[in-house]
Amino acid sequence: MPVVKTPLPRGLLADDALPLYERTAAQLLDDLRATAACAGDRLPSERALATRYGVSRVTLRAALAELEARGIVRPTSSRGWFVAELDQPAEPVAARVATAPQVQGFADYAEVNGLTASSRVLSATVRPATVPESEHLRIAPGADLFDLHRLRFLDDLVVVLEHNRLPLTVCPALAVTDFNNASLYATLRGADPPQLPRVADYSVEARHPTPREMELLETGDTMPMLVATQLTFNQEDRPIELTVQVYRGDRYRFRASITNRT
């Protein structure tokens, strides 16, 4: 799915079109401002906040990590979360997201567009990283790498064959998560510390399908494949995911905005 959200006019993107963790972050920020919270104030426990906003702990942690990245809250090793700074313009989250580059996961795309995403895991293993993989991901050759192959569906229609590779150290829970049901990016956001996909190097090319791709994607040999290669970086500019996605050409369109900022 599209990687970069292109700029939109302020106010055009409704809050309920954002991923759940973004909406939760906006609600929490609104509550902090409404109660006149000050720098140094301690937030309720994660359990209490998750109950208040009706979300999972994973989603709540992703929301807190989003606010931490904006300098609004800060964690401590043993005492929970504290207000860091609220003296900044009260810009709507929708407007901020509309103008900032964001990496959008498959499940995020489905949620924003009112579609039902599902997956079928073909394989999920931990193996040593190859030399090329280690160079892309800035890890040692032979380091533990989580290797995931999935078929991805929208409203039960197969769309993409996806191959994800991530250093296991960024989120050890990857090795024990059932990605038939779980979202990869939600799992990363719920890691300790959270891993927030912030920017990606992305390239797309067209080619003919292999026999295996024709079988899995239910196409003939005349259907072109759009192959996207993505290297994703977290909030600390560290590469955390190397992915190759093979899309059916009739069920995927890539859009981008090209600008000259000079």
Side-chain angles (χ1 to χ4, degrees):
M1 291 302 107
V3 174
V4 178
K5 292 182 180 177
T6 55
L8 297 173
R10 182 181 297 271
L12 181 62
L13 186 61
D15 281 352
D16 61 4
L18 298 172
L20 182 56
Y21 81 96
E22 289 273 11
R23 302 200 301 267
T24 304
Q27 291 170 341
L28 176 53
L29 180 54
D30 286 345
D31 283 350
L32 291 174
R33 288 196 170 113
T35 57
C38 299
D41 287 351
R42 185 177 180 180
L43 273 63
S45 68
E46 290 184 2
R47 184 183 301 276
L49 289 172
T51 299
R52 174 181 176 82
Y53 298 114
V55 297
S56 69
R57 293 280 292 277
V58 168
T59 297
L60 189 278
R61 286 171 182 163
L64 289 169
E66 173 68 19
L67 294 179
E68 181 189 7
R70 295 174 59 192
I72 293 167
V73 299
R74 58 180 174 81
T76 63
S77 59
S78 60
R79 299 183 60 209
W81 291 84
F82 290 80
V83 176
E85 179 60 65
L86 286 179
D87 294 332
Q88 24 183 310
E91 182 182 23
V93 172
R96 177 178 57 81
V97 173
T99 58
Q102 299 240 328
V103 179
Q104 188 178 51
F106 190 87
D108 295 332
Y109 172 88
E111 181 181 358
V112 167
N113 289 276
L115 303 171
T116 300
S118 57
S119 301
R120 174 157 64 91
V121 172
L122 304 175
S123 66
T125 60
V126 175
R127 60 169 176 81
T130 66
V131 171
E133 290 167 341
S134 68
E135 291 175 346
H136 282 296
L137 294 167
R138 301 180 196 165
I139 57 178
D144 284 343
L145 190 76
F146 179 66
D147 186 298
L148 176 65
H149 289 259
R150 289 179 293 176
L151 274 176
R152 314 299 304 275
F153 301 81
L154 291 174
D155 289 348
D156 296 325
L157 294 174
V158 63
V159 174
V160 57
L161 174 63
E162 191 170 78
H163 181 200
N164 313 97
R165 285 158 288 175
L166 304 94
L168 191 61
T169 54
V170 304
C171 181
L174 292 169
V176 294
T177 300
D178 180 5
F179 286 106
N180 286 295
N181 303 303
S183 161
L184 178 61
Y185 277 15
T187 303
L188 290 172
R189 293 171 189 140
D192 185 15
Q195 301 296 316
L196 306 181
R198 286 302 192 199
V199 67
D201 293 336
Y202 196 79
S203 64
V204 182
E205 63 178 313
R207 63 165 170 76
H208 291 294
T210 66
R212 177 64 169 162
E213 290 165 354
M214 285 191 289
E215 176 187 354
L216 292 172
L217 293 172
E218 303 172 2
T219 70
D221 58 5
T222 59
M223 172 67 68
M225 298 291 108
L226 289 176
V227 183
T229 302
Q230 177 175 318
L231 181 62
T232 305
F233 298 80
N234 69 3
Q235 69 273 25
E236 298 175 346
D237 199 32
R238 174 183 176 184
I240 58 171
E241 178 198 21
L242 179 61
T243 293
V244 176
Q245 300 155 315
V246 181
Y247 291 93
R248 284 181 54 133
D250 62 339
R251 295 179 182 172
Y252 175 72
R253 177 179 293 170
F254 174 72
R255 292 187 179 92
S257 178
I258 301 175
T259 62
N260 184 348
R261 297 186 181 275
T262 61

